[in-house]
Amino acid sequence: MEAIQKKFEEELSKFQKSQSDLNKHISQRQILESQLTENKFVKEELDLLKKEDAIYKLVGPVLLKQDLVEASQTVEKRIDYIQNEIKRHENLIKETESKQDSLKESLNKIQQQMQQAKLKTMQK
Amino acid sequence: MSQNFEKLEHFVRLRTEQENYLKVCDQKLGNWQKFKDDYLTLKSRLETLPHELRYEVMVPISKVAFMTGRLVNTNEILVLLGDNWFVEKSAKQSCDLIDRRLKNIEKFLDDLHKEKKNLQEQINWTENLLQEKGEYVNIEEKLEDEPIKQKSQKEISEEEKREIRRKLQEKALQTSLELENEIKKDFKSLYKPKENKIEKVEENTEEEEEEDVVQIVNNGPNFMSQLEEDIKNLDLGEKFDEDDEQLRNLMSEYDKGINRENNKQIEKDLKKQVKWSNVEESQAKKVENSQYDEDDFEYSESDEEEEEEEDDEIAEEYVKVEPIKIQIKHTANEFIEEQDRRLRLSREKPEINSPADIYSVFNKPKSILKKTSLTPIESDHILPVEHKKVEPKNAEMEKFEPQKAFTGEIVEKNVISIQSHDMGSENKKPVSKFKASKFSQNK
């Protein structure tokens, strides 16, 4: 009976951990999505710009002047990077979900075992 | 009602959740609306800003502190594009930028409005449900409908079954007619004018419902002809010859009567004529029991083989177009069946007053081609002493289809063969000493 309870507690902690991981991954993914949309918007604006206009990048408290071409390239690279990050996070999310399901099943089994043990003790 | 109450709770909870979603949606809507308003004011400011070169303003230097200052470079505006990217633009260009951003905002706003509509509809639906739940009780009816549906389905299936049976019977008749036509050409010489009835009997024998039919078909149309010849060779008297037609009529009718639909009528008709009903019923039972008995007495395999062998032999005989010598191989299975049937008949004390009674006593088969003939043991058991005279005449007949009733003659020899057969192969049901002694007496 005690052994079963211990098992149950272990499984439960694992399950909670996996759940927290899942939440982290999901939130991270949301952030990345927002960044993606932002950068896409920046790219649109940069495309509209002519070469004359001055482009500044904020690095810390400093505004650094940038070239249009360079700026557009950096923004594109950043967009790609963010997309890859999103994919990675999606995979992580799937894995954690599957882990969670397996942990759920094990938890259920242990619960059943506990119930059976309880019944036995009751009968006794 | 308890179930209803539980479901009510669920729906109440659903309703609350839906309301929460609606609140979130409203919040989002408020936010975006605010952005939109801010952008509009900004735009208006930008439009007026470049009208003058300098502005004197109160510049805020902290939360609550201001100081006088001038606003210069009214046309140079740094616009935040996002992700820490700034671009310097003129007032007019920034106005255009603002317009583009406003477009996006309006897109978001539209989506949020649609979402809000959907949520509202869902809320209304759940509200209606809750009201109905409180007023009506619906659930019980559904359970009743299901068995009715099942019944209707069953009924439909039965009707379909009947239709299928009819169709199959029609097909069987057609195929049997074709087969018979082919065989007729070969055996026309053997046949007598009464062939037609035989054909009918044969046609009727082919019915899917009874497995024995398949085997009987092999025996084919020749069986009846040979049967007739054997009957005539018996020299039992004119009575029996006269009864041939009756026989065939009855048998044909009975075969037709295998259709369960017609069975009752035919049985009635038969009952009017002769005591066929008992025999027929017993035969029907026998046919049914044959399969059952096979399972019980574990003769199935060997019996089937024997039957198949018999069929093959008989078929071969027919092909040869020779005078018919039918070899009867009585399987133990048949023994049992016929024993049972004999017991029944013996209890009933059948009196054999005419040759027709012989047949009735000897278990008229459902169809001529079926193996419901009496075993020699059984026949001896039932036959009175009178028939023993008949037996030696047909001693020549060694081979006879087990289904046919002329076991009297055949009985003797078959008894020996059967006894030897039993002795040899199947010892599962040994012949009773009583019957064995009887056979020995008959010899």
Side-chain angles (χ1 to χ4, degrees):
Chain A
M1 185 61 184
E2 292 177 354
I4 293 166
Q5 270 185 337
K6 280 182 187 176
K7 275 187 194 176
F8 185 76
E9 285 169 6
E10 286 175 5
E11 289 289 326
L12 196 68
S13 62
K14 283 183 193 174
F15 183 75
Q16 285 171 348
K17 196 182 169 190
S18 74
Q19 230 178 5
S20 64
D21 288 338
L22 191 71
N23 290 332
K24 279 185 201 171
H25 290 308
I26 287 168
S27 61
Q28 192 70 23
R29 179 161 167 209
Q30 282 176 349
I31 290 164
L32 285 170
E33 287 244 15
S34 65
Q35 283 180 354
L36 186 69
T37 51
E38 201 178 352
N39 276 296
K40 279 185 182 174
F41 199 72
V42 169
K43 189 163 184 312
E44 286 175 14
E45 292 292 328
L46 286 175
D47 293 335
L48 289 168
L49 281 175
K50 303 169 199 176
K51 208 168 187 186
E52 306 147 357
D53 300 336
I55 296 165
Y56 298 96
K57 187 173 167 85
L58 183 67
V59 181
V62 179
L63 268 176
L64 294 173
K65 194 161 178 172
Q66 295 278 341
D67 192 17
L68 177 66
V69 177
E70 286 178 12
S72 56
Q73 279 179 358
T74 14
V75 170
E76 281 178 11
K77 282 179 190 175
R78 184 148 172 82
I79 284 169
D80 293 334
Y81 173 73
I82 289 167
Q83 280 175 341
N84 289 329
E85 285 287 306
I86 283 170
K87 282 182 191 174
R88 194 169 66 82
H89 275 281
E90 275 181 4
N91 290 330
L92 278 172
I93 284 164
K94 280 182 189 175
E95 285 178 12
T96 47
E97 274 180 356
S98 62
K99 273 187 195 175
Q100 225 181 20
D101 292 334
S102 64
L103 284 170
K104 269 185 196 174
E105 288 176 6
S106 61
L107 270 174
N108 285 329
K109 284 180 190 175
I110 291 167
Q111 265 183 346
Q112 286 174 5
Q113 286 176 3
M114 277 174 69
Q115 284 173 0
Q116 287 172 2
K118 279 182 188 174
L119 283 170
K120 285 180 187 175
T121 53
M122 291 280 284
Q123 286 171 0
K124 288 177 186 177
Chain B
M1 277 298 293
S2 63
Q3 289 179 356
N4 288 343
F5 189 67
E6 288 172 358
K7 289 181 182 178
L8 268 171
E9 284 180 349
H10 291 312
F11 279 111
V12 166
R13 199 183 144 205
L14 179 68
R15 172 82 193 279
T16 53
E17 288 290 321
Q18 283 175 343
E19 285 178 0
N20 289 334
Y21 286 134
L22 196 68
K23 282 181 189 174
V24 169
C25 192
D26 284 335
Q27 268 183 356
K28 285 183 192 174
L29 266 174
N31 286 335
W32 286 106
Q33 195 65 42
K34 196 178 168 191
F35 291 148
K36 189 181 173 183
D37 295 336
D38 288 342
Y39 272 116
L40 285 169
T41 53
L42 180 63
K43 191 181 173 184
S44 65
R45 170 66 70 227
L46 282 171
E47 284 171 356
T48 59
L49 195 63
H51 289 174
E52 294 186 22
L53 281 169
R54 295 183 201 91
Y55 286 100
E56 288 195 4
V57 291
M58 290 296 277
V59 180
I61 51 176
S62 73
K63 277 188 187 177
V64 288
F66 293 87
M67 66 177 287
T68 57
R70 286 203 199 95
L71 206 58
V72 291
N73 297 336
T74 53
N75 208 21
E76 292 168 17
I77 294 166
L78 263 176
V79 181
L80 176 65
L81 299 176
D83 196 26
N84 293 339
W85 288 98
F86 289 89
V87 72
E88 206 175 31
K89 283 186 178 265
S90 68
K92 179 111 189 335
Q93 287 171 343
S94 37
C95 283
D96 297 335
L97 201 143
I98 287 166
D99 288 334
R100 273 176 255 136
R101 287 194 185 174
L102 278 171
K103 277 186 191 175
N104 276 329
I105 287 168
E106 285 191 3
K107 269 189 196 175
F108 283 124
L109 278 172
D110 289 334
D111 293 337
L112 281 171
H113 276 298
K114 286 178 189 174
E115 199 178 327
K116 193 181 173 183
K117 267 188 188 177
N118 285 331
L119 282 171
Q120 197 68 47
E121 285 176 4
Q122 285 180 16
I123 285 170
N124 291 333
W125 184 79
T126 50
E127 269 192 39
N128 291 332
L129 251 178
L130 284 170
Q131 286 175 1
E132 285 179 3
K133 290 284 180 185
E135 293 174 3
Y136 306 115
V137 178
N138 298 326
I139 299 162
E140 294 175 358
E141 295 175 357
K142 290 179 184 178
L143 292 169
E144 293 175 357
D145 290 334
E146 291 175 355
I148 292 165
K149 286 178 186 176
Q150 289 174 359
K151 283 179 187 175
S152 64
Q153 288 174 358
K154 284 178 186 174
E155 289 173 359
I156 291 162
S157 65
E158 287 177 356
E159 290 175 0
E160 290 176 352
K161 282 179 188 172
R162 287 176 193 166
E163 291 176 358
I164 291 161
R165 281 180 201 162
R166 289 170 200 162
K167 290 177 185 175
L168 288 168
Q169 285 168 3
E170 289 173 2
K171 287 182 186 176
L173 285 170
Q174 290 174 2
T175 54
S176 65
L177 277 170
E178 293 174 358
L179 287 169
E180 288 163 2
N181 288 328
E182 292 177 357
I183 295 163
K184 266 187 194 177
K185 295 172 187 175
D186 296 331
F187 298 102
K188 266 190 180 177
S189 62
L190 291 175
Y191 280 110
K192 293 177 184 177
K194 295 176 184 175
E195 290 174 4
N196 294 327
K197 295 178 184 177
I198 298 164
E199 291 168 4
K200 287 179 186 176
V201 172
E202 293 161 355
E203 290 173 4
N204 293 321
T205 57
E206 291 179 356
E207 293 179 354
E208 317 79 34
E209 295 175 356
E210 296 167 358
E211 300 172 2
D212 293 338
V213 177
V214 177
Q215 295 171 351
I216 292 158
V217 173
N218 293 327
N219 300 329
N222 296 321
F223 190 79
M224 274 303 291
S225 64
Q226 292 178 5
L227 208 169
E228 292 169 0
E229 290 182 359
D230 293 333
I231 292 163
K232 288 179 184 176
N233 291 328
L234 284 172
D235 294 333
L236 296 171
E238 294 178 357
K239 290 181 184 178
F240 199 84
D241 291 333
E242 290 173 356
D243 289 334
D244 282 340
E245 294 180 359
Q246 292 180 7
L247 246 178
R248 286 180 189 171
N249 287 328
L250 291 167
M251 287 171 75
S252 65
E253 286 176 356
Y254 193 82
D255 292 332
K256 287 175 186 175
I258 291 163
N259 279 327
R260 288 170 193 173
E261 296 172 356
N262 300 326
N263 211 358
K264 292 178 184 176
Q265 290 180 359
I266 287 160
E267 282 180 356
K268 287 178 188 175
D269 294 332
L270 291 168
K271 283 177 185 175
K272 292 175 189 174
Q273 297 175 3
V274 193
K275 296 178 187 177
W276 292 106
S277 63
N278 296 328
V279 178
E280 291 166 352
E281 288 173 357
S282 64
Q283 288 175 356
K285 290 177 187 175
K286 189 186 176 186
V287 171
E288 293 173 353
N289 288 329
S290 65
Q291 301 169 2
Y292 178 77
D293 289 337
E294 288 176 355
D295 295 333
D296 291 337
F297 301 106
E298 300 177 357
Y299 288 120
S300 59
E301 295 178 358
S302 60
D303 290 341
E304 288 173 358
E305 291 173 359
E306 288 175 2
E307 290 173 354
E308 290 173 359
E309 291 173 359
E310 290 169 354
D311 294 338
D312 292 333
E313 289 175 1
I314 291 155
E316 290 175 355
E317 288 177 352
Y318 290 127
V319 171
K320 290 174 186 174
V321 189
E322 289 177 359
I324 298 150
K325 285 193 176 182
I326 302 165
Q327 290 179 351
I328 295 174
K329 290 183 184 179
H330 294 286
T331 60
N333 194 6
E334 291 176 356
F335 273 153
I336 296 147
E337 293 169 4
E338 289 180 0
Q339 283 174 14
D340 292 333
R341 196 173 50 75
R342 292 308 161 207
L343 285 171
R344 275 181 249 138
L345 290 170
S346 64
R347 286 169 204 158
E348 295 171 354
K349 292 183 182 178
E351 292 179 349
I352 297 168
N353 297 323
S354 68
D357 292 338
I358 296 169
Y359 200 80
S360 67
V361 168
F362 284 108
N363 181 19
K364 182 184 184 288
K366 273 191 178 181
S367 70
I368 299 162
L369 305 174
K370 288 195 176 178
K371 297 175 186 178
T372 55
S373 63
L374 297 172
T375 60
I377 295 164
E378 294 181 6
S379 62
D380 285 337
H381 193 66
I382 295 165
L383 278 174
V385 180
E386 297 174 354
H387 293 276
K388 289 178 186 178
K389 296 175 187 175
V390 177
E391 293 171 1
K393 290 180 184 178
N394 291 327
E396 294 177 355
M397 299 296 294
E398 293 180 355
K399 291 186 178 180
F400 194 84
E401 288 185 5
Q403 298 172 356
K404 294 307 169 184
F406 291 90
T407 56
E409 303 169 353
I410 301 155
V411 167
E412 287 183 344
K413 292 195 176 181
N414 290 328
V415 173
I416 297 162
S417 66
I418 287 157
Q419 282 179 345
S420 63
H421 182 73
D422 288 334
M423 298 281 284
S425 63
E426 297 171 353
N427 293 327
K428 292 179 180 179
K429 279 217 169 180
V431 178
S432 65
K433 291 179 183 176
F434 174 70
K435 290 179 182 175
S437 63
K438 253 198 172 179
F439 289 131
S440 63
Q441 284 176 5
N442 290 333
K443 293 173 188 174

